[in-house]
Amino acid sequence: MSVLPLVFTSGWASGINAYAVVLLFGVFGATGLTDEVPESLQRTDVLVAAGVLFLCEAVADKIPYVDSIWDSVHTVIRPIAGAVVGALLAGQNGSLPELAAGAVGGSTALLSHFVKAGTRMAVNTTPEPFSNVALSLAEDLGVAAVVTFALFHPLAAAIIAAVLLALGLVILVFLAQRIRRFLRRRSQRREERQLADAEARARARPQSGDGSEHF
């Protein structure tokens, strides 16, 4: 069977949590549960780095606004990770050109990243932090479940990933108005802070024309 379903699923998962994908693939390959994982992902240094970065993301991803900053930084990292993992899987399997696999993995990761980042921006407009934690846990568990399932049932997992990606894009369209309001309020707060700073500086200057300054 072509490795394309596994590449597509890994790309979708990389757009949500690239470090979890690398860590899961590496662990499954190192423990001998599957032969689909290339040896480069099973290296000890790769597993340690992925584990540390996964823990960092697990914390940052559950803090309001910090998660959006983290997502902004990973706009480039996640698609690249999806492309690299896809190319490595294709190289291991040999049924799909590595360049094509990289394009599929990277583009799918970019789409799912936009869904994740956009959803988080909308969630950050809520005053309570619990929705961030719940959504982050759901993403982590979802990625773990789908990636694990993909290693043993790649086609079925790819269908699930495609449905989740399409559903996420539809939800993102509905949340677009809320995201725009969030950005507009943030811009207004920035302008208010700048205005307050300007007024404070103006009050701190010596007042000319005050009778106390005349001799």
Side-chain angles (χ1 to χ4, degrees):
M1 181 180 293
S2 172
V3 75
L4 181 59
L6 185 58
V7 169
F8 179 86
T9 304
S10 67
W12 168 82
S14 295
I16 300 173
N17 194 325
Y19 306 123
V21 174
V22 174
L23 184 61
L24 285 170
F25 275 149
V27 170
F28 284 131
T31 54
L33 293 177
T34 179
D35 296 328
E36 295 291 337
V37 179
E39 292 183 2
S40 55
L41 295 179
Q42 303 177 36
R43 290 169 41 182
T44 302
D45 56 340
V46 173
L47 290 175
V48 170
V52 171
L53 291 170
F54 170 75
L55 291 176
C56 292
E57 175 148 343
V59 175
D61 204 41
K62 295 173 178 59
I63 304 174
Y65 297 104
V66 174
D67 58 351
S68 290
I69 296 173
W70 184 269
D71 287 337
S72 298
V73 174
H74 284 73
T75 301
V76 176
I77 297 174
R78 286 170 182 159
I80 291 177
V84 171
V85 171
L88 290 174
L89 290 173
Q92 174 79 0
N93 182 275
S95 63
L96 182 70
E98 295 179 23
L99 184 60
V104 171
S107 58
T108 307
L110 183 62
L111 286 175
S112 62
H113 165 75
F114 282 147
V115 171
K116 172 187 172 72
T119 304
R120 286 309 183 86
M121 290 178 67
V123 170
N124 281 334
T125 62
T126 59
E128 41 75 29
F130 304 107
S131 53
N132 294 74
V133 177
L135 186 57
S136 178
L137 288 173
E139 290 170 350
D140 294 341
L141 293 175
V143 165
V146 174
V147 168
T148 302
F149 188 58
L151 288 172
F152 304 100
H153 305 281
L155 185 57
I159 294 173
I160 294 173
V163 171
L164 292 175
L165 180 59
L167 182 61
L169 290 172
V170 171
I171 293 174
L172 186 60
V173 171
F174 282 107
L175 291 175
Q177 184 176 0
R178 188 169 187 175
I179 295 171
R180 285 196 295 268
R181 288 200 301 266
F182 165 76
L183 294 174
R184 187 165 52 248
R185 283 201 299 268
R186 188 171 65 175
S187 178
Q188 290 173 349
R189 286 196 295 268
R190 186 182 302 114
E191 292 175 357
E192 290 171 356
R193 286 196 299 268
Q194 292 174 350
L195 181 60
D197 292 341
E199 292 176 351
R201 287 194 297 268
R203 286 194 297 268
R205 293 171 185 165
Q207 297 294 325
S208 60
D210 193 335
S212 61
E213 297 180 358
H214 292 284
F215 295 97

